[in-house]
Each structure stands twice: as structure tokens, then as C-alpha cells.
Amino acid sequence: MTAIPDIPLNDGTTIPQLGFGVFQVDDEGAHSAVATAIDAGYRLIDTARVYRNERGTGRAIAECGVARDELYVTTKVWNSDQGFDETLRAFDASMDRLGLARLDLYLIHWPVPSRDRYVDTFRALVRLREEGRLRSVGVSNFQPDHLRRVIDDTGVTPVLNQVEVHPYLQQPDLLEVHRQLGVVTEAWSPLGQGKGLLDDPALARIAARHGVSPAQVVLRWHLDRGCVAIPKSVTPSRIVENLDVFGFELTDADASEIGELDRGERVGPDPDRFTGE
Ligand code: NAD
């Protein structure tokens, strides 16, 4: 079985560098995909309240036969639940659906700057960590000014920022800010949702040179950049394929060829404007 490296976080804990996401999968689909993923060797599972599949995800975790402390489970507080008390309640509800006593990582899903509640929301995450219900506190879709504000106002640095990153949206400036702040980058839609990106001729050429798939090339590239990546698939063969990225190495020439693919092109919403409502 593939050994997935653990990478250190700024609170003294670690996270598996490659994980499994369940966005756009219904509850029953998540149950079966997460079961397949854990069986294949994934240990990091990424869900969210808004995905409406915390119950199926939790059932797969309960049934998988892998010890709870070997798994790393993430969920996220949704935009309409932001605020200190609201977040504490949303956390309880997520934990009920997941069937877990303790969570590894809780993220603020989007900053929603227009509502300006993300600092209070982050304070609730810190409270949950102090109470021992949560191992680590993090954020998602935060821009540098949002990150700096939560750090300045609370004195706590999120362990990671889960943001859209893939070869068509490489975000070098944001990754540099993360490096300076000691925040790990976790790449969402690491495969660009499969659309177009995985048909890119440059990726096809690199993949052919190594005898692997374009998806494997892209995942290896994320890991080489020091990011955590959480690809999603509901197809068992792809779930296994996306984990099999440790048997080859990209060359410097491969990496610079991928570097040239950056178009600054998002598949998801703009974090400065998205309200989710
Ligand atoms: P992804 O980049 O992981 O792409 C998934 C799609 O790529 C699949 O549906 C499939 O069509 C294709 N695919 C997967 N493996 C493949 C393979 N080996 N070969 C060919 N095609 C393949 O997209 P995603 O699901 O949007 O992102 C991954 C995870 O990131 C999500 O499940 C979720 O957990 C997280 N996410 C978070 C946010 C956020 O706002 N925090 C937003 C989007 C996604």
C-alpha cells in the first residue's frame, strides 16, 4: 500500500498530504466513495455541511475498520452559519451527522467579507479547539487580507487555507503569503474538476513520458509544491489511480512546462465576492 507523507502544521500536528474530497456527491454516493477511498489507503477525508453528505461520510468512517486516530476528518462551517454562537451550533450539528466525538480540522468555508463575520466565526473555532473537540483550526478561500486579519485579531494562525489551485490557477503569490505566515496550502479542485485541464496536450506529453495519467502528473505536481491535495472521484479505478503518485518523479523540465500553463483561470467563485446565497 502507498505511504502517504504527513506534513507538519503550525500547531504541532500533522496532516496527510493527499486526501479525498466528496463535493457534488450525494449522501449514499459519499458513503460508498469514502469506503472505497479508505480501503484504497486514503486517510484524509474532506467534507462540508453544505455538501449534504456528512451522514454518509460518517457511516463509511464508522464501518471502515480503520482506527479513528489513523483517520483525518475535515468539515466546514457554511456561510449562513457564520458568527460565534451560530458556529458552535453548526459544529454540534455537523458532529451529530458525522457521528464523531472529535474532529481533526474545522474550516470556515468562505470568508464572505460582505457579512464581516469571519473573525467571530474563527474565535468559535478557537474555542472548540480549547475545549478539545477539535484538533486544528483552519480556513478556506481566504485572501491574504482575510488571513492577516484573523491572525491579528485573534493571535491564532490557521493551520491551512484550502483554496482553488491547479495548473490553470497556480496562485504563486498566495502560496508565498502562506509560506511567510506558516500556513499550509490545501488545493481544492486540484484536477481543475477534470474539465479541459486533464486534456491539456502538455500534461498528456509529460504523462506519456512517465507512463502515468495526466491526473497523476497534476497530483504529483501539487505534492512537489508542498501543497495538500484532495482530489475527488466516485469511480473506484480513479480513486486508486489518484493515490498512486509516489512511483515516479517529475523532472525540473516537467515542472517548468506545467508552470507555463497558468492562466489565472478559476473553475469556482471569486472569494472576495462569493456569499453562497
Ligand atoms: P477535482 O479537481 O478533484 O476533480 C474531480 C473530477 O475530476 C471528478 O469528478 C472527475 O470528473 C475527474 N477525475 C478525478 N480523477 C480523475 C482521473 N484519475 N482521471 C480523469 N478524471 C478524473 O474537483 P473537486 O471535486 O471540485 O475538488 C476536490 C475536493 O476539493 C472536493 O471534493 C471538495 O472536498 C474540495 N472542494 C472545496 C471547495 C471549497 O470551497 N473549500 C470547493 C470545491 C472543492
Coordinates of all heavy atoms in Angstrom, one line a residue, residues 20-25 45-48 51 76 78 107-110 139-141 162-166 186-195 197-198 213-216 219 229-235 237-239 241-242 267-269 274, ligand 1:
F20 N -9.0 12.9 0.2 CA -10.1 12.5 -0.6 C -11.3 13.5 -0.4 O -11.7 13.6 0.8 CB -10.5 11.1 -0.3 CG -11.6 10.6 -1.2 CD1 -11.3 10.3 -2.6 CD2 -12.9 10.4 -0.8 CE1 -12.3 9.8 -3.4 CE2 -13.9 9.9 -1.7 CZ -13.6 9.7 -3.0
G21 N -11.8 14.2 -1.4 CA -12.9 15.1 -1.2 C -14.2 14.6 -1.8 O -14.2 13.7 -2.7
V22 N -15.3 15.0 -1.2 CA -16.6 14.5 -1.6 C -17.6 15.6 -2.0 O -18.8 15.4 -1.8 CB -17.2 13.6 -0.5 CG1 -16.5 12.3 -0.4 CG2 -17.3 14.3 0.8
F23 N -17.2 16.6 -2.6 CA -18.0 17.7 -3.2 C -18.9 17.1 -4.3 O -18.3 16.3 -5.1 CB -17.1 18.8 -3.7 CG -17.8 20.0 -4.3 CD1 -19.0 20.5 -3.7 CD2 -17.3 20.6 -5.4 CE1 -19.6 21.7 -4.3 CE2 -17.9 21.8 -6.0 CZ -19.0 22.3 -5.4
Q24 N -20.1 17.5 -4.4 CA -21.0 17.1 -5.5 C -21.2 15.6 -5.5 O -21.3 15.0 -6.6 CB -20.5 17.6 -6.9 CG -20.6 19.1 -6.9 CD -20.0 19.7 -8.2 OE1 -19.0 19.2 -8.7 NE2 -20.5 20.8 -8.7
V25 N -21.3 15.0 -4.4 CA -21.6 13.6 -4.2 C -22.8 13.5 -3.2 O -22.7 14.1 -2.2 CB -20.4 12.7 -3.7 CG1 -20.7 11.3 -3.7 CG2 -19.1 13.0 -4.5
I45 N -10.1 12.7 4.8 CA -11.4 12.8 4.2 C -11.9 14.3 4.3 O -12.0 14.8 5.5 CB -12.4 11.8 4.8 CG1 -11.9 10.4 4.8 CG2 -13.8 11.9 4.1 CD1 -11.6 9.8 3.5
D46 N -12.3 14.9 3.2 CA -12.8 16.3 3.3 C -14.2 16.4 2.9 O -14.6 16.1 1.7 CB -11.9 17.1 2.3 CG -12.3 18.6 2.3 OD1 -11.6 19.3 3.1 OD2 -13.1 19.0 1.5
T47 N -15.1 16.8 3.8 CA -16.5 17.1 3.5 C -16.8 18.5 4.0 O -16.0 19.3 4.3 CB -17.4 16.0 4.1 OG1 -18.8 16.2 3.7 CG2 -17.3 15.9 5.6
A48 N -18.1 18.8 3.9 CA -18.6 20.1 4.4 C -20.1 20.0 4.7 O -20.8 19.2 4.0 CB -18.4 21.2 3.3
Y51 N -22.2 20.2 1.6 CA -22.2 19.1 0.6 C -23.4 18.1 0.9 O -23.7 17.3 0.1 CB -20.9 18.3 0.6 CG -19.7 19.1 0.3 CD1 -18.4 18.6 0.6 CD2 -19.7 20.4 -0.2 CE1 -17.2 19.3 0.3 CE2 -18.6 21.1 -0.4 CZ -17.3 20.6 -0.2 OH -16.2 21.3 -0.4
K76 N -16.6 21.7 7.3 CA -16.6 23.2 7.2 C -17.8 23.8 7.6 O -18.9 23.3 7.4 CB -16.3 23.6 5.7 CG -15.2 22.7 5.1 CD -14.9 23.1 3.6 CE -14.0 22.2 2.9 NZ -14.7 21.1 2.2
W78 N -20.7 26.5 7.1 CA -21.2 27.1 5.9 C -21.5 28.6 6.2 O -21.6 29.1 7.3 CB -22.5 26.4 5.5 CG -23.0 27.0 4.2 CD1 -24.2 27.6 4.0 CD2 -22.3 27.2 3.0 NE1 -24.3 28.0 2.7 CE2 -23.1 27.8 2.0 CE3 -21.0 26.8 2.5 CZ2 -22.7 28.1 0.7 CZ3 -20.6 27.1 1.3 CH2 -21.4 27.8 0.4
L107 N -13.0 24.0 9.1 CA -12.6 25.2 8.3 C -13.8 26.1 8.2 O -15.0 25.7 8.1 CB -12.3 24.7 6.9 CG -11.2 23.7 6.7 CD1 -11.0 23.3 5.2 CD2 -9.9 24.2 7.3
I108 N -13.5 27.4 8.1 CA -14.5 28.4 7.6 C -14.6 28.3 6.1 O -13.6 28.5 5.4 CB -14.1 29.9 8.0 CG1 -13.9 30.0 9.6 CG2 -15.2 30.9 7.5 CD1 -13.5 31.3 10.0
H109 N -15.7 28.0 5.6 CA -15.8 27.6 4.1 C -15.4 28.7 3.2 O -14.7 28.5 2.2 CB -17.2 27.0 3.8 CG -17.2 26.0 2.7 ND1 -18.1 24.9 2.7 CD2 -16.5 26.0 1.6 CE1 -17.9 24.3 1.6 NE2 -16.9 24.9 0.9
W110 N -16.0 29.9 3.5 CA -15.7 31.1 2.6 C -15.7 32.3 3.6 O -16.4 32.3 4.6 CB -16.9 31.4 1.6 CG -16.9 30.3 0.6 CD1 -17.6 29.1 0.6 CD2 -16.3 30.3 -0.7 NE1 -17.5 28.4 -0.5 CE2 -16.6 29.1 -1.4 CE3 -15.4 31.2 -1.4 CZ2 -16.2 28.8 -2.7 CZ3 -15.0 30.9 -2.6 CH2 -15.3 29.7 -3.3
V139 N -9.0 27.6 7.6 CA -9.9 28.5 6.8 C -9.9 28.0 5.4 O -9.0 27.1 5.0 CB -9.5 30.0 6.9 CG1 -9.7 30.5 8.3 CG2 -8.1 30.2 6.4
S140 N -10.8 28.5 4.6 CA -10.9 28.1 3.2 C -11.3 29.4 2.4 O -12.1 30.2 2.8 CB -11.9 27.0 3.0 OG -12.0 26.7 1.6
N141 N -10.7 29.5 1.2 CA -11.0 30.6 0.3 C -10.7 32.0 0.9 O -11.3 33.0 0.5 CB -12.5 30.5 -0.1 CG -12.8 29.3 -0.9 OD1 -12.1 29.0 -1.9 ND2 -13.7 28.4 -0.3
Q162 N -7.6 26.3 2.6 CA -8.0 25.4 1.5 C -8.5 26.3 0.3 O -9.5 27.0 0.5 CB -9.1 24.5 1.9 CG -9.5 23.5 0.8 CD -10.6 22.5 1.3 OE1 -11.6 22.5 0.7 NE2 -10.3 21.7 2.2
V163 N -7.8 26.4 -0.8 CA -8.1 27.3 -1.9 C -8.0 26.6 -3.2 O -7.4 25.5 -3.3 CB -7.1 28.5 -1.9 CG1 -7.3 29.4 -0.7 CG2 -5.7 28.0 -1.9
E164 N -8.7 27.2 -4.2 CA -8.6 26.6 -5.5 C -7.2 26.8 -6.1 O -6.7 27.9 -6.2 CB -9.6 27.3 -6.5 CG -9.6 26.7 -7.9 CD -10.6 27.4 -8.8 OE1 -11.5 28.1 -8.4 OE2 -10.4 27.1 -10.1
V165 N -6.6 25.6 -6.4 CA -5.2 25.6 -7.0 C -5.2 24.4 -8.0 O -5.6 23.3 -7.6 CB -4.1 25.4 -6.0 CG1 -2.7 25.5 -6.7 CG2 -4.1 26.5 -4.9
H166 N -4.7 24.7 -9.2 CA -4.4 23.6 -10.2 C -3.6 24.3 -11.3 O -3.3 25.5 -11.2 CB -5.8 23.1 -10.7 CG -6.8 24.1 -11.1 ND1 -6.6 24.9 -12.2 CD2 -7.9 24.5 -10.5 CE1 -7.6 25.8 -12.3 NE2 -8.4 25.6 -11.2
E186 N -3.8 24.0 1.0 CA -4.6 22.8 0.6 C -5.3 23.1 -0.7 O -6.1 24.0 -0.7 CB -5.5 22.3 1.7 CG -6.2 21.0 1.5 CD -7.0 20.5 2.6 OE1 -7.9 21.3 3.1 OE2 -6.8 19.4 3.1
A187 N -5.0 22.3 -1.7 CA -5.6 22.6 -3.0 C -6.9 22.0 -3.2 O -7.0 20.7 -3.2 CB -4.6 22.1 -4.1
W188 N -8.0 22.8 -3.4 CA -9.3 22.2 -3.8 C -9.4 22.3 -5.3 O -8.7 23.1 -6.0 CB -10.5 22.8 -3.1 CG -10.9 24.2 -3.2 CD1 -10.8 25.2 -2.2 CD2 -11.7 24.9 -4.2 NE1 -11.4 26.4 -2.6 CE2 -11.9 26.2 -3.8 CE3 -12.1 24.4 -5.5 CZ2 -12.7 27.1 -4.6 CZ3 -12.8 25.3 -6.3 CH2 -13.1 26.7 -5.9
S189 N -10.3 21.4 -5.9 CA -10.3 21.2 -7.3 C -8.9 21.0 -7.8 O -8.5 21.7 -8.8 CB -11.1 22.3 -8.1 OG -12.5 22.3 -7.7
P190 N -8.1 20.2 -7.2 CA -6.7 20.0 -7.6 C -6.6 19.6 -9.1 O -5.6 19.8 -9.7 CB -6.1 19.0 -6.7 CG -7.3 18.2 -6.2 CD -8.5 19.2 -6.2
L191 N -7.6 18.9 -9.6 CA -7.6 18.4 -11.0 C -8.4 19.4 -11.9 O -8.8 19.0 -13.0 CB -8.2 17.0 -11.1 CG -7.5 16.0 -10.2 CD1 -8.3 14.6 -10.3 CD2 -6.1 15.8 -10.7
G192 N -8.7 20.6 -11.4 CA -9.5 21.5 -12.2 C -10.9 21.0 -12.5 O -11.5 21.3 -13.5
Q193 N -11.4 20.1 -11.6 CA -12.7 19.4 -11.8 C -12.6 18.5 -13.1 O -13.7 18.2 -13.6 CB -13.8 20.4 -11.8 CG -14.0 21.0 -10.4 CD -15.3 21.8 -10.3 OE1 -15.9 22.3 -11.2 NE2 -15.7 22.0 -9.0
G194 N -11.5 18.2 -13.5 CA -11.3 17.3 -14.7 C -11.6 18.0 -16.0 O -11.1 17.6 -17.1
K195 N -12.4 19.1 -16.0 CA -12.8 19.8 -17.2 C -11.6 20.4 -18.0 O -10.9 21.2 -17.4 CB -13.7 21.0 -16.8 CG -14.9 20.8 -16.1 CD -15.5 22.1 -15.6 CE -16.6 22.0 -14.7 NZ -16.9 23.2 -13.9
L197 N -8.7 20.7 -18.3 CA -7.3 20.6 -17.8 C -6.7 19.2 -18.1 O -5.6 19.2 -18.6 CB -7.3 20.9 -16.3 CG -5.9 20.7 -15.6 CD1 -4.9 21.7 -16.1 CD2 -6.0 20.7 -14.1
L198 N -7.4 18.2 -17.8 CA -6.8 16.9 -17.9 C -6.6 16.4 -19.4 O -6.0 15.4 -19.7 CB -7.6 15.8 -17.1 CG -7.6 16.0 -15.6 CD1 -8.4 15.0 -14.9 CD2 -6.2 16.1 -15.0
S213 N -1.0 8.8 -15.9 CA -2.1 9.6 -16.4 C -1.9 11.1 -16.2 O -1.1 11.5 -15.3 CB -3.4 9.1 -15.8 OG -3.4 9.6 -14.5
P214 N -2.5 11.9 -17.0 CA -2.5 13.4 -16.7 C -2.9 13.7 -15.2 O -2.3 14.6 -14.6 CB -3.4 14.0 -17.7 CG -3.4 13.0 -18.8 CD -3.3 11.7 -18.2
A215 N -3.9 13.0 -14.7 CA -4.3 13.3 -13.3 C -3.2 13.0 -12.4 O -2.9 13.8 -11.4 CB -5.5 12.4 -13.0
Q216 N -2.4 11.9 -12.6 CA -1.3 11.6 -11.7 C -0.2 12.6 -11.8 O 0.4 13.0 -10.8 CB -0.8 10.2 -12.1 CG -1.8 9.1 -11.6 CD -1.4 7.7 -12.2 OE1 -1.1 7.6 -13.3 NE2 -1.4 6.7 -11.3
L219 N -1.4 15.7 -9.8 CA -1.3 15.4 -8.3 C 0.1 15.4 -7.8 O 0.4 16.0 -6.8 CB -2.1 14.1 -7.9 CG -3.6 14.2 -8.2 CD1 -4.2 12.9 -8.1 CD2 -4.2 15.2 -7.2
A229 N -3.3 18.0 -1.3 CA -4.3 17.9 -2.4 C -5.4 16.9 -2.1 O -5.2 15.9 -1.4 CB -3.6 17.5 -3.7
I230 N -6.7 17.3 -2.4 CA -7.8 16.5 -2.0 C -8.7 16.1 -3.3 O -9.8 16.6 -3.4 CB -8.7 17.1 -0.9 CG1 -8.9 18.6 -1.2 CG2 -8.0 17.0 0.4 CD1 -9.9 19.3 -0.3
P231 N -8.2 15.4 -4.2 CA -8.9 15.0 -5.4 C -10.2 14.3 -5.1 O -10.3 13.6 -4.1 CB -8.0 14.2 -6.2 CG -7.1 13.5 -5.2 CD -6.9 14.6 -4.2
K232 N -11.2 14.4 -5.9 CA -12.5 13.7 -5.8 C -12.7 12.8 -7.0 O -12.4 13.1 -8.1 CB -13.6 14.7 -5.7 CG -15.0 14.0 -5.8 CD -15.8 14.8 -6.8 CE -16.8 14.0 -7.4 NZ -17.6 14.7 -8.4
S233 N -13.2 11.6 -6.7 CA -13.7 10.8 -7.8 C -14.7 9.8 -7.2 O -14.6 9.5 -6.0 CB -12.6 10.0 -8.5 OG -13.2 9.1 -9.4
V234 N -15.7 9.4 -7.9 CA -16.6 8.3 -7.4 C -16.3 7.0 -8.2 O -17.0 6.0 -8.0 CB -18.1 8.7 -7.6 CG1 -18.4 9.8 -6.6 CG2 -18.5 9.1 -9.0
T235 N -15.3 7.0 -9.1 CA -15.0 5.8 -9.9 C -13.9 5.1 -9.2 O -12.8 5.6 -9.0 CB -14.5 6.3 -11.3 OG1 -15.5 7.2 -11.8 CG2 -14.3 5.1 -12.2
S237 N -11.7 2.9 -9.9 CA -10.3 2.8 -10.5 C -9.6 4.1 -10.4 O -8.4 4.2 -10.3 CB -10.4 2.3 -12.0 OG -11.2 3.3 -12.7
R238 N -10.3 5.2 -10.5 CA -9.7 6.6 -10.4 C -9.3 6.9 -9.0 O -8.3 7.6 -8.7 CB -10.6 7.6 -11.0 CG -10.7 7.6 -12.5 CD -11.7 8.6 -13.0 NE -11.7 8.8 -14.4 CZ -12.6 9.6 -15.0 NH1 -13.5 10.2 -14.4 NH2 -12.5 9.7 -16.3
I239 N -10.2 6.4 -8.1 CA -9.9 6.7 -6.6 C -8.5 6.0 -6.3 O -7.6 6.6 -5.7 CB -11.0 6.1 -5.7 CG1 -12.3 6.9 -5.9 CG2 -10.5 6.0 -4.3 CD1 -13.5 6.3 -5.2
E241 N -6.2 5.2 -8.7 CA -5.1 5.8 -9.5 C -4.6 7.1 -8.9 O -3.4 7.4 -8.9 CB -5.8 6.1 -10.9 CG -5.0 6.9 -11.9 CD -5.8 7.3 -13.1 OE1 -6.6 6.5 -13.6 OE2 -5.6 8.4 -13.6
N242 N -5.6 7.9 -8.3 CA -5.2 9.2 -7.8 C -4.3 9.1 -6.6 O -3.7 10.1 -6.1 CB -6.4 10.1 -7.5 CG -7.2 10.5 -8.7 OD1 -6.7 10.4 -9.8 ND2 -8.4 10.9 -8.6
V267 N -12.2 27.7 -11.7 CA -13.4 26.9 -12.0 C -14.5 27.3 -11.0 O -15.7 27.0 -11.2 CB -13.2 25.4 -12.0 CG1 -12.2 25.0 -13.1 CG2 -12.7 24.9 -10.7
G268 N -14.1 27.8 -9.9 CA -15.1 28.2 -8.8 C -15.2 29.7 -8.6 O -14.7 30.5 -9.4
P269 N -16.0 30.1 -7.6 CA -16.3 31.5 -7.4 C -15.1 32.3 -6.9 O -14.1 31.8 -6.4 CB -17.4 31.5 -6.3 CG -17.8 30.1 -6.1 CD -16.7 29.2 -6.7
F274 N -18.0 36.0 -3.2 CA -19.0 34.9 -3.1 C -19.7 34.9 -1.7 O -19.0 35.0 -0.7 CB -18.3 33.5 -3.2 CG -19.2 32.3 -3.2 CD1 -20.1 32.1 -4.2 CD2 -19.1 31.4 -2.2 CE1 -20.9 31.0 -4.2 CE2 -19.9 30.3 -2.2 CZ -20.8 30.1 -3.2
Ligands
NAD1 P1 -11.3 17.8 -8.6 O1 -10.3 18.7 -9.2 O2 -10.9 16.8 -7.6 O3 -11.9 17.0 -9.9 C1 -12.8 15.9 -9.7 C2 -13.3 15.4 -11.1 O4 -12.2 15.2 -11.9 C3 -14.1 14.2 -11.0 O5 -15.4 14.4 -10.8 C4 -13.8 13.5 -12.3 O6 -14.7 14.1 -13.3 C5 -12.4 14.0 -12.6 N1 -11.4 13.0 -12.3 C6 -11.0 12.6 -11.0 N2 -10.0 11.7 -11.0 C7 -9.7 11.5 -12.4 C8 -8.8 10.7 -13.0 N3 -7.9 9.9 -12.4 N4 -8.8 10.7 -14.4 C9 -9.7 11.5 -15.1 N5 -10.6 12.3 -14.5 C10 -10.6 12.3 -13.1 O7 -12.6 18.6 -8.2 P2 -13.5 18.9 -6.9 O8 -14.3 17.8 -6.5 O9 -14.1 20.2 -7.2 O10 -12.4 19.2 -5.8 C11 -11.9 18.2 -4.9 C12 -12.3 18.4 -3.5 O11 -12.0 19.8 -3.0 C13 -13.9 18.4 -3.3 O12 -14.4 17.1 -3.4 C14 -14.0 19.1 -2.0 O13 -13.7 18.2 -1.0 C15 -13.0 20.2 -2.1 N6 -13.5 21.5 -2.6 C16 -13.5 22.5 -1.7 C17 -14.0 23.8 -2.1 C18 -14.0 24.9 -1.1 O14 -14.7 25.9 -1.4 N7 -13.4 24.7 0.0 C19 -14.6 24.0 -3.4 C20 -14.5 22.9 -4.3 C21 -14.0 21.7 -3.9

